[in-house]
Amino acid sequence: MAAFGHTFPFYAGPKTTFPMDTTLAIIITIFLTALVTFIIILPGIRGKMRLFWLLRVVTSLFIGAVILAVNFSSEWSVGQVSTNTSYKAFSSQWISADIGLQVGLRGVNITLTGTPVQQLNETINYNEEFTWRLGENYAEEYARALEKGLPDPVLYLAEKFTPNSPCGLHGQYRLAGHYTSAILWVAFLCWLLANVMLSMPVLVYGGLMLLATGIFQLLGLLFFSMATSLAPPCPLCLGTATLHTHRGPAFWITLTTGLLCVLLGLAMGVAHRIQPHRLKIFFNHSVGENPGLEWNPEKGGLLSPRYQSTAESPEPQDIPLSEASSKGCCEKEHPSVPAQAL
């Protein structure tokens, strides 16, 4: 250990970190690319339909991006504190640092940033992730962190979420994460079905699927809140301060999006009852090019009002004939008899 200055081995240098989660960056890039693509083809849409179409596309892409992003986000419960704390195990040296904790549906993320970053001849800037998603073992990741020799504050917070910790945080957040993630995937499926149905002449069912999308998001929030509130909060003491967690941005943006979906679904249901024609115009389903055709799902498709009235009325209808045709018919029915000489 003399080569390491009689201390536990640490990183040789600062780790190169991406400014944001790579999964979130991929999701945002995909939806932004789709939005740019729709904007490019926007000039090809004529009239007021251009504004309606843009509003529908932006709203739909926003809802889908939020559902996917919060599923992979690590900011469901967050907390941050500035404190003076020990830096290395079995060392009396202290540092001044900002310590952050982000708890997501798939694990925890712990950050340690020195104030200033350069202290004790080292760069104090750590960003460590510990996951409990399916196929991952949190205890093994924590054991590898001990072998690395991570700073003491990072190991302290990570130890609170281990399965053997008396705090019980691992069981609460792991259970809440698994089931909330599953519910959000169902909400994402409902969002896909809503988009398919809204592009077809079944707007009322599209509105119902949009309503189901919001309901499943709210159910996920309800389950997450209940599962993480079963046990009393565990104190997280770091040096001279205590770290407290609260609901993060992912929780509140999911709540906002869920309420938005519920309101849009209810609004579509009311509009379908009161002003169905205006609803069809908004979704570009009105047959404005041929006003003589109208959609009648009970009859099986597009019917002309003339044939529709004929089909609805079983009584025979009098069809007027021209004068010439009527004379011809009369002559055929009553042929003229030549006069005979007496």
Side-chain angles (χ1 to χ4, degrees):
M1 302 298 294
F4 296 97
H6 300 284
T7 60
F8 286 98
F10 280 79
Y11 293 119
K15 295 175 62 179
T16 303
T17 59
F18 193 68
M20 66 179 302
D21 187 13
T22 53
T23 305
L24 294 179
I26 293 174
I27 293 173
I28 294 175
T29 302
I30 292 175
F31 279 89
L32 284 179
T33 303
L35 179 60
V36 171
T37 303
F38 284 120
I39 292 178
I40 290 175
I41 65 177
L42 187 64
I45 302 174
R46 63 180 184 272
K48 296 181 179 180
M49 292 296 105
R50 181 182 305 171
L51 178 60
F52 295 158
W53 189 83
L54 178 62
L55 182 60
R56 297 198 312 266
V57 167
V58 172
T59 304
S60 179
L61 290 179
F62 171 77
I63 294 173
V66 166
I67 296 175
L68 274 185
V70 297
N71 208 336
F72 294 93
S73 175
S74 61
E75 296 185 348
W76 282 77
S77 292
V78 297
Q80 188 172 359
V81 66
S82 299
T83 182
N84 296 321
T85 180
S86 60
Y87 180 50
K88 301 177 181 179
F90 306 104
S91 175
S92 58
Q93 293 178 323
W94 283 45
I95 60 170
S96 176
D98 294 330
I99 304 173
L101 174 65
Q102 297 88 30
V103 185
L105 303 181
R106 301 169 181 270
V108 297
N109 186 268
I110 304 171
T111 59
L112 175 68
T113 305
T115 51
V117 176
Q118 297 291 335
Q119 295 184 51
L120 305 178
N121 296 325
E122 293 187 29
T123 301
I124 304 174
N125 188 10
Y126 295 88
N127 190 339
E128 302 295 331
E129 184 182 18
F130 302 87
T131 59
W132 51 57
R133 59 176 176 263
L134 295 177
E136 301 289 343
N137 192 323
Y138 187 94
E140 292 181 358
E141 293 190 9
Y142 178 70
R144 288 195 295 267
L146 289 174
E147 295 176 359
K148 286 182 181 179
L150 292 179
D152 191 41
V154 176
L155 294 176
Y156 172 79
L157 291 178
E159 188 272 336
K160 293 293 184 181
F161 289 88
T162 54
N164 299 326
S165 175
C167 289
L169 296 178
H170 181 271
Q172 293 181 35
Y173 282 96
R174 185 173 182 271
L175 180 67
H178 285 341
Y179 285 97
T180 304
S181 178
I183 295 175
L184 288 178
W185 280 117
V186 176
F188 184 74
L189 177 61
C190 293
W191 172 77
L192 291 177
L193 293 176
N195 283 277
V196 173
M197 292 180 177
L198 291 177
S199 62
M200 302 168 61
V202 283
L203 298 179
V204 62
Y205 297 107
L208 291 177
M209 294 309 301
L210 191 61
L211 180 63
T213 302
I215 291 176
F216 278 111
Q217 291 182 76
L218 298 179
L219 286 178
L221 295 177
L222 179 63
F223 186 87
F224 182 83
S225 301
M226 292 178 60
T228 55
S229 303
L230 296 177
C234 181
L236 303 175
C237 300
L238 294 163
T240 59
T242 302
L243 179 63
H244 299 281
T245 59
H246 54 85
R247 303 300 182 202
F251 183 91
W252 298 115
I253 194 172
T254 305
L255 177 62
T256 304
T257 309
L259 293 176
L260 175 63
C261 292
V262 170
L263 292 177
L264 290 178
L266 294 176
M268 288 188 60
V270 173
H272 179 75
R273 290 289 183 181
I274 300 177
Q275 295 287 342
H277 182 67
R278 293 182 181 271
L279 185 63
K280 291 178 181 179
I281 291 177
F282 182 80
F283 284 93
N284 200 19
H285 288 169
S286 60
V287 277
E289 298 179 358
N290 191 355
L293 298 178
E294 63 179 35
W295 176 256
N296 193 344
E298 297 180 356
K299 298 297 181 181
L302 290 171
L303 292 177
S304 173
R306 182 178 61 182
Y307 296 111
Q308 184 179 0
S309 60
T310 305
E312 289 178 354
S313 58
E315 298 179 358
Q317 295 182 352
D318 296 331
I319 302 177
L321 298 176
S322 62
E323 183 178 356
S325 60
S326 60
K327 285 183 178 181
C329 293
C330 293
E331 290 178 358
K332 289 181 180 179
E333 291 179 357
H334 306 286
S336 60
V337 180
Q340 295 181 359
L342 292 176

